PDB file of all heavy atoms in Angstrom:
ATOM      1  N   PRO A 127      -6.390  14.053 -24.471  1.00  0.00           N
ATOM      2  CA  PRO A 127      -6.673  14.332 -23.028  1.00  0.00           C
ATOM      3  C   PRO A 127      -6.085  13.300 -22.121  1.00  0.00           C
ATOM      4  O   PRO A 127      -6.041  12.159 -22.444  1.00  0.00           O
ATOM      5  CB  PRO A 127      -8.251  14.321 -22.992  1.00  0.00           C
ATOM      6  CG  PRO A 127      -8.680  13.408 -24.114  1.00  0.00           C
ATOM      7  CD  PRO A 127      -7.689  13.667 -25.189  1.00  0.00           C
ATOM      8  N   PRO A 128      -5.537  13.757 -21.008  1.00  0.00           N
ATOM      9  CA  PRO A 128      -4.969  12.833 -20.058  1.00  0.00           C
ATOM     10  C   PRO A 128      -6.064  11.954 -19.399  1.00  0.00           C
ATOM     11  O   PRO A 128      -7.229  12.323 -19.320  1.00  0.00           O
ATOM     12  CB  PRO A 128      -4.333  13.676 -18.986  1.00  0.00           C
ATOM     13  CG  PRO A 128      -5.072  15.018 -19.103  1.00  0.00           C
ATOM     14  CD  PRO A 128      -5.438  15.147 -20.493  1.00  0.00           C
ATOM     15  N   PRO A 129      -5.738  10.720 -19.008  1.00  0.00           N
ATOM     16  CA  PRO A 129      -6.739   9.829 -18.486  1.00  0.00           C
ATOM     17  C   PRO A 129      -7.039  10.149 -17.005  1.00  0.00           C
ATOM     18  O   PRO A 129      -6.266  10.808 -16.363  1.00  0.00           O
ATOM     19  CB  PRO A 129      -6.053   8.424 -18.527  1.00  0.00           C
ATOM     20  CG  PRO A 129      -4.630   8.743 -18.442  1.00  0.00           C
ATOM     21  CD  PRO A 129      -4.405  10.062 -19.106  1.00  0.00           C
ATOM     22  N   GLY A 130      -8.241   9.726 -16.544  1.00  0.00           N
ATOM     23  CA  GLY A 130      -8.574   9.856 -15.138  1.00  0.00           C
ATOM     24  C   GLY A 130      -8.162   8.649 -14.337  1.00  0.00           C
ATOM     25  O   GLY A 130      -7.969   7.552 -14.917  1.00  0.00           O
ATOM     26  N   ILE A 131      -8.143   8.815 -13.009  1.00  0.00           N
ATOM     27  CA  ILE A 131      -7.775   7.739 -12.149  1.00  0.00           C
ATOM     28  C   ILE A 131      -8.522   7.879 -10.834  1.00  0.00           C
ATOM     29  O   ILE A 131      -8.823   8.982 -10.366  1.00  0.00           O
ATOM     30  CB  ILE A 131      -6.254   7.673 -11.943  1.00  0.00           C
ATOM     31  CG1 ILE A 131      -5.850   6.413 -11.107  1.00  0.00           C
ATOM     32  CG2 ILE A 131      -5.749   8.950 -11.179  1.00  0.00           C
ATOM     33  CD1 ILE A 131      -4.380   6.196 -10.972  1.00  0.00           C
ATOM     34  N   CYS A 149      -8.498   3.244 -14.092  1.00  0.00           N
ATOM     35  CA  CYS A 149      -8.059   4.261 -15.026  1.00  0.00           C
ATOM     36  C   CYS A 149      -9.032   4.284 -16.191  1.00  0.00           C
ATOM     37  O   CYS A 149      -9.573   3.263 -16.621  1.00  0.00           O
ATOM     38  CB  CYS A 149      -6.654   3.959 -15.565  1.00  0.00           C
ATOM     39  SG  CYS A 149      -5.371   3.893 -14.309  1.00  0.00           S
ATOM     40  N   ARG A 150      -9.262   5.500 -16.722  1.00  0.00           N
ATOM     41  CA  ARG A 150     -10.193   5.700 -17.892  1.00  0.00           C
ATOM     42  C   ARG A 150      -9.456   6.386 -19.036  1.00  0.00           C
ATOM     43  O   ARG A 150      -8.864   7.435 -18.781  1.00  0.00           O
ATOM     44  CB  ARG A 150     -11.378   6.559 -17.418  1.00  0.00           C
ATOM     45  CG  ARG A 150     -12.148   5.936 -16.257  1.00  0.00           C
ATOM     46  CD  ARG A 150     -13.227   6.889 -15.694  1.00  0.00           C
ATOM     47  NE  ARG A 150     -12.579   8.086 -15.081  1.00  0.00           N
ATOM     48  CZ  ARG A 150     -12.048   8.053 -13.832  1.00  0.00           C
ATOM     49  NH1 ARG A 150     -12.044   6.953 -13.116  1.00  0.00           N
ATOM     50  NH2 ARG A 150     -11.588   9.151 -13.259  1.00  0.00           N
ATOM     51  N   ASN A 151      -9.596   5.879 -20.224  1.00  0.00           N
ATOM     52  CA  ASN A 151      -8.816   6.414 -21.361  1.00  0.00           C
ATOM     53  C   ASN A 151      -9.760   7.279 -22.285  1.00  0.00           C
ATOM     54  O   ASN A 151      -9.324   7.520 -23.460  1.00  0.00           O
ATOM     55  CB  ASN A 151      -8.113   5.294 -22.144  1.00  0.00           C
ATOM     56  CG  ASN A 151      -9.114   4.417 -22.943  1.00  0.00           C
ATOM     57  OD1 ASN A 151     -10.310   4.553 -22.800  1.00  0.00           O
ATOM     58  ND2 ASN A 151      -8.579   3.494 -23.684  1.00  0.00           N
ATOM     59  N   ASN A 152     -10.853   7.665 -21.816  1.00  0.00           N
ATOM     60  CA  ASN A 152     -11.755   8.584 -22.640  1.00  0.00           C
ATOM     61  C   ASN A 152     -12.143   7.956 -23.941  1.00  0.00           C
ATOM     62  O   ASN A 152     -12.377   8.682 -24.906  1.00  0.00           O
ATOM     63  CB  ASN A 152     -11.055   9.946 -22.837  1.00  0.00           C
ATOM     64  CG  ASN A 152     -10.654  10.542 -21.486  1.00  0.00           C
ATOM     65  OD1 ASN A 152     -11.453  10.937 -20.701  1.00  0.00           O
ATOM     66  ND2 ASN A 152      -9.359  10.713 -21.308  1.00  0.00           N
ATOM     67  N   ILE A 158      -4.044   0.692 -21.640  1.00  0.00           N
ATOM     68  CA  ILE A 158      -3.910   1.640 -20.491  1.00  0.00           C
ATOM     69  C   ILE A 158      -2.739   1.152 -19.652  1.00  0.00           C
ATOM     70  O   ILE A 158      -2.584   0.017 -19.336  1.00  0.00           O
ATOM     71  CB  ILE A 158      -5.198   1.702 -19.699  1.00  0.00           C
ATOM     72  CG1 ILE A 158      -6.353   2.231 -20.619  1.00  0.00           C
ATOM     73  CG2 ILE A 158      -5.039   2.619 -18.474  1.00  0.00           C
ATOM     74  CD1 ILE A 158      -7.683   2.349 -19.934  1.00  0.00           C
ATOM     75  N   CYS A 197      -1.920   7.403 -14.635  1.00  0.00           N
ATOM     76  CA  CYS A 197      -2.205   6.508 -15.785  1.00  0.00           C
ATOM     77  C   CYS A 197      -1.863   7.260 -17.086  1.00  0.00           C
ATOM     78  O   CYS A 197      -1.775   8.445 -17.136  1.00  0.00           O
ATOM     79  CB  CYS A 197      -3.712   6.121 -15.821  1.00  0.00           C
ATOM     80  SG  CYS A 197      -4.297   5.203 -14.441  1.00  0.00           S
ATOM     81  N   SER A 198      -1.702   6.476 -18.135  1.00  0.00           N
ATOM     82  CA  SER A 198      -1.528   6.983 -19.493  1.00  0.00           C
ATOM     83  C   SER A 198      -2.135   5.892 -20.394  1.00  0.00           C
ATOM     84  O   SER A 198      -2.406   4.716 -19.938  1.00  0.00           O
ATOM     85  CB  SER A 198      -0.055   7.228 -19.891  1.00  0.00           C
ATOM     86  OG  SER A 198       0.644   6.055 -20.018  1.00  0.00           O
ATOM     87  N   TYR A 199      -2.280   6.154 -21.642  1.00  0.00           N
ATOM     88  CA  TYR A 199      -2.800   5.159 -22.586  1.00  0.00           C
ATOM     89  C   TYR A 199      -2.173   5.354 -23.956  1.00  0.00           C
ATOM     90  O   TYR A 199      -1.725   6.461 -24.325  1.00  0.00           O
ATOM     91  CB  TYR A 199      -4.358   5.242 -22.713  1.00  0.00           C
ATOM     92  CG  TYR A 199      -4.890   6.586 -23.165  1.00  0.00           C
ATOM     93  CD1 TYR A 199      -5.067   6.917 -24.503  1.00  0.00           C
ATOM     94  CD2 TYR A 199      -5.264   7.561 -22.241  1.00  0.00           C
ATOM     95  CE1 TYR A 199      -5.556   8.168 -24.915  1.00  0.00           C
ATOM     96  CE2 TYR A 199      -5.748   8.786 -22.637  1.00  0.00           C
ATOM     97  CZ  TYR A 199      -5.935   9.070 -23.961  1.00  0.00           C
ATOM     98  OH  TYR A 199      -6.423  10.304 -24.401  1.00  0.00           O
ATOM     99  N   SER A 209      -0.665   9.160 -24.555  1.00  0.00           N
ATOM    100  CA  SER A 209      -1.329  10.311 -24.019  1.00  0.00           C
ATOM    101  C   SER A 209      -0.402  10.868 -22.894  1.00  0.00           C
ATOM    102  O   SER A 209       0.488  10.218 -22.445  1.00  0.00           O
ATOM    103  CB  SER A 209      -2.670   9.950 -23.377  1.00  0.00           C
ATOM    104  OG  SER A 209      -2.432   9.246 -22.161  1.00  0.00           O
ATOM    105  N   PRO A 210      -0.654  12.113 -22.504  1.00  0.00           N
ATOM    106  CA  PRO A 210       0.088  12.619 -21.282  1.00  0.00           C
ATOM    107  C   PRO A 210      -0.318  11.816 -20.073  1.00  0.00           C
ATOM    108  O   PRO A 210      -1.387  11.215 -20.005  1.00  0.00           O
ATOM    109  CB  PRO A 210      -0.396  14.081 -21.194  1.00  0.00           C
ATOM    110  CG  PRO A 210      -0.980  14.452 -22.528  1.00  0.00           C
ATOM    111  CD  PRO A 210      -1.561  13.173 -23.080  1.00  0.00           C
ATOM    112  N   LEU A 211       0.439  11.886 -19.010  1.00  0.00           N
ATOM    113  CA  LEU A 211       0.100  11.317 -17.740  1.00  0.00           C
ATOM    114  C   LEU A 211      -1.055  12.122 -17.180  1.00  0.00           C
ATOM    115  O   LEU A 211      -1.151  13.337 -17.288  1.00  0.00           O
ATOM    116  CB  LEU A 211       1.247  11.331 -16.803  1.00  0.00           C
ATOM    117  CG  LEU A 211       2.411  10.396 -17.107  1.00  0.00           C
ATOM    118  CD1 LEU A 211       3.585  10.670 -16.125  1.00  0.00           C
ATOM    119  CD2 LEU A 211       2.010   8.948 -16.996  1.00  0.00           C
ATOM    120  N   GLY A 212      -2.023  11.372 -16.541  1.00  0.00           N
ATOM    121  CA  GLY A 212      -3.157  12.029 -16.018  1.00  0.00           C
ATOM    122  C   GLY A 212      -2.972  12.451 -14.550  1.00  0.00           C
ATOM    123  O   GLY A 212      -1.872  12.494 -14.058  1.00  0.00           O
ATOM    124  N   ASP A 213      -4.136  12.820 -13.931  1.00  0.00           N
ATOM    125  CA  ASP A 213      -4.092  13.217 -12.493  1.00  0.00           C
ATOM    126  C   ASP A 213      -3.584  12.005 -11.646  1.00  0.00           C
ATOM    127  O   ASP A 213      -3.507  10.886 -12.118  1.00  0.00           O
ATOM    128  CB  ASP A 213      -5.473  13.630 -12.020  1.00  0.00           C
ATOM    129  CG  ASP A 213      -5.964  14.882 -12.717  1.00  0.00           C
ATOM    130  OD1 ASP A 213      -5.115  15.671 -13.136  1.00  0.00           O
ATOM    131  OD2 ASP A 213      -7.197  15.085 -12.822  1.00  0.00           O
TER     132      ASP A 213
END
Side-chain angles (χ1 to χ4, degrees):
I131 186 172
C149 301
R150 301 172 295 279
N151 71 355
N152 303 298
I158 297 178
C197 298
S198 69
Y199 58 89
S209 74
L211 290 173
D213 294 335

